Amino acid sequence: MTAKNFTPILALACSLGAAAAAALPTDAATTESRAEAAAPVTTEAPVQLALTFGDPVPLTQGEKASIRFLMPDVDPEAFPPETWGAVRGVLLSNDYDSEKRLQLKALLP
């Protein structure tokens, strides 16, 4: 397509888009709902994200199940909060299960 043909087609497409946008209803109800949707939502409790500095993030149910699978005789609650990050690192590693088991035993108090 040459520039000679492209310019009128582009102008037509822009004018059709502008006409379609102008045809949309703009009543007070939709304006209010848009304003409510744009209003910021305030939460009372601070958001806690995983893998951040600050309070340790508790082990999830899946991580506790992995600990039970690797070490059936150990309660996952036996790991102190200071080691939760290290436990998570061991569980997510690509090591063999026997190596993970040894590393988890080293983390127990």
Side-chain angles (χ1 to χ4, degrees):
M1 188 180 276
T2 64
K4 190 176 195 181
N5 294 337
F6 185 70
T7 305
I9 293 172
L10 183 61
L12 178 66
C14 289
S15 64
L16 289 176
L24 291 175
T26 56
D27 58 339
T30 58
T31 306
E32 288 177 8
S33 64
R34 287 181 189 159
E36 291 172 1
V41 177
T42 58
T43 57
E44 298 299 322
V47 177
Q48 286 196 354
L49 301 175
L51 303 175
T52 59
F53 294 105
D55 294 334
V57 179
L59 296 173
T60 64
Q61 294 300 320
E63 291 166 342
K64 291 178 183 178
S66 296
I67 293 171
R68 285 188 205 101
F69 173 76
L70 293 170
M71 305 170 67
D73 56 335
V74 174
D75 181 28
E77 302 298 327
F79 292 97
E82 303 86 40
T83 62
W84 287 344
V87 168
R88 189 169 286 119
V90 170
L91 294 176
L92 295 175
S93 70
N94 291 331
D95 295 337
Y96 292 111
D97 288 348
S98 59
E99 294 173 2
K100 288 181 182 182
R101 194 173 297 114
L102 290 173
Q103 292 173 1
L104 288 174
K105 283 182 183 177
L107 291 174
L108 283 173

